[in-house]
Amino acid sequence: MRLKNSLFAFASLIICFTLTACSSSPGTSTNKSSPSTKASKKNMDPNKGRYSLKNDKLPLNPPNVDHVQNAVPKFESYSRRGNKPYTVYDESYTVMNTGQGYSDTGRASWYGEKFHGYETSNGEPYDMYSMSGAHKTLPLPSYARVTNLDNNRQVIIRINDRGPFHSDRILDVSYAAAYKLGMLGTGTARIKLDVIYIGSEAATYSGMASAQDTGGHHYVQLVASKDKPKLNAMAKSLEQKYQVKTRVQAVNNMFRLQLGPIGQPELAEKLLNKVQQSGFPQSYIVHE
């Protein structure tokens, strides 16, 4: 009888241990989610689990992303998803009403394989081979120019996600953007972030199929600087080279050198292609 009792107690102990082990093991759900999903888990440890930085990695057989073009800024209504106040790791964030005129300097990191294909805060699948990024409070989607201050490389990205949730970082960029910025090896970089704001008036142009005159509200943005005399000198040279008027526009303690106005959108696109091949690869069109 004592032997039976001992065997029963031993079996009960084994069952209890098994149940305890199962209850503490990681979840095996196959539901895909993004950094936005982790945002709903207030007390998640950022150094543990699927979203820890140490678990991210380069793609095993990445395609050549040299051909990947910059994101093309255009008017987009802010999305219904991803633009509400939220809390991550017990810290609350309020999304800006607009990104117009926003600029910041700080450290950026990149995110890759572990998020690839998973839903972003904007509700779109994350594609690490596109020119995209994540920011804590800019409205989604937003477009921005990112400059690596260590090597002066620049890209234009479309921000459609939330992050990075590290106090010392202001931006996450995709694998392709990190490659173009030359920061894959270092993991992080000192960057300058400048929002490229396209107002709703550009929506009129987006639906046009012809090259009709729209009133001359198209400009090719070339470069921005605090040195206005330098831009004025460049403007004179560029007017002679392209036979197009220029303007130097003051915005938030900076000055922007632009070619225009250009009356037809097709002509603006042709001029854009010329200047991109002639020393201004980060130039873009501004519609007013």
Side-chain angles (χ1 to χ4, degrees):
M1 185 67 178
R2 293 176 61 185
L3 178 60
K4 289 182 178 181
N5 290 340
S6 297
L7 290 173
F8 178 77
F10 179 74
S12 298
L13 181 63
I14 292 297
I15 292 172
C16 180
F17 176 79
T18 302
L19 291 174
T20 301
C22 290
S23 66
S24 62
S25 63
T28 57
S29 171
T30 58
N31 292 331
K32 289 189 173 185
S33 57
S34 76
S36 63
T37 301
K38 69 179 179 179
S40 65
K41 300 179 180 180
K42 291 176 57 177
N43 298 315
M44 181 184 289
D45 185 341
N47 298 314
K48 293 182 179 180
R50 180 178 173 280
Y51 295 108
S52 62
L53 184 64
K54 66 181 180 180
N55 289 338
D56 204 352
K57 60 182 180 181
L58 294 166
L60 294 177
N61 297 297
N64 185 348
V65 294
D66 285 324
H67 69 284
V68 177
Q69 299 295 313
N70 282 320
V72 179
K74 62 182 180 180
F75 169 74
E76 289 188 70
S77 297
Y78 293 143
S79 115
R80 294 182 178 180
R81 293 185 54 179
N83 286 318
K84 296 180 180 179
Y86 64 97
T87 301
V88 181
Y89 310 141
D90 295 323
E91 185 167 352
S92 297
Y93 300 89
T94 300
V95 178
M96 303 178 205
N97 292 327
T98 176
Q100 185 173 13
Y102 181 82
S103 180
D104 196 9
T105 302
R107 297 205 73 82
S109 49
W110 63 273
Y111 60 131
E113 183 72 26
K114 68 179 179 180
F115 298 114
H116 187 60
Y118 288 79
E119 198 173 75
T120 66
S121 300
N122 205 31
E124 305 164 351
Y126 169 58
D127 180 2
M128 64 178 169
Y129 303 122
S130 68
M131 301 296 281
S132 62
H135 191 273
K136 299 182 187 74
T137 56
L138 278 172
L140 305 179
S142 289
Y143 290 88
R145 178 183 295 99
V146 182
T147 304
N148 185 337
L149 297 177
D150 296 324
N151 58 21
N152 291 321
R153 295 188 186 182
Q154 288 186 340
V155 298
I156 297 175
I157 64 172
R158 180 174 178 270
I159 297 173
N160 64 350
D161 209 356
R162 292 289 170 225
F165 298 110
H166 296 263
S167 60
D168 62 335
R169 298 171 201 169
I170 64 170
L171 184 71
D172 260 346
V173 298
S174 63
Y175 166 84
Y179 172 85
K180 299 268 188 177
L181 288 168
M183 55 179 283
L184 285 177
T186 57
T188 65
R190 295 187 311 116
I191 62 103
K192 187 173 186 295
L193 170 69
D194 296 295
V195 167
I196 301 171
Y197 178 79
I198 305 295
S200 60
E201 61 271 13
T204 302
Y205 165 67
S206 66
M208 291 185 177
S210 66
Q212 77 179 78
D213 191 332
T214 59
H217 297 301
H218 310 291
Y219 295 84
V220 177
Q221 164 77 31
L222 297 177
V223 65
S225 172
K226 292 185 177 180
D227 190 347
K228 186 177 181 180
K230 178 182 178 180
L231 294 185
N232 286 334
M234 290 178 61
K236 292 180 179 180
S237 174
L238 291 169
E239 283 186 355
Q240 294 179 353
K241 181 176 182 179
Y242 296 108
Q243 295 299 301
V244 177
K245 292 182 179 180
T246 62
R247 72 176 184 183
V248 176
Q249 191 178 47
V251 180
N252 295 327
N253 297 321
M254 295 285 289
F255 297 93
R256 297 175 179 175
L257 173 56
Q258 299 174 341
L259 291 172
I262 303 165
Q264 296 180 346
E266 284 189 354
L267 295 179
E269 290 287 348
K270 289 181 179 179
L271 180 59
L272 175 65
N273 291 333
K274 285 184 179 180
V275 300
Q276 286 181 337
Q277 297 172 11
S278 303
F280 299 93
Q282 308 304 322
S283 57
Y284 58 94
I285 292 178
V286 176
H287 310 289
E288 294 186 350

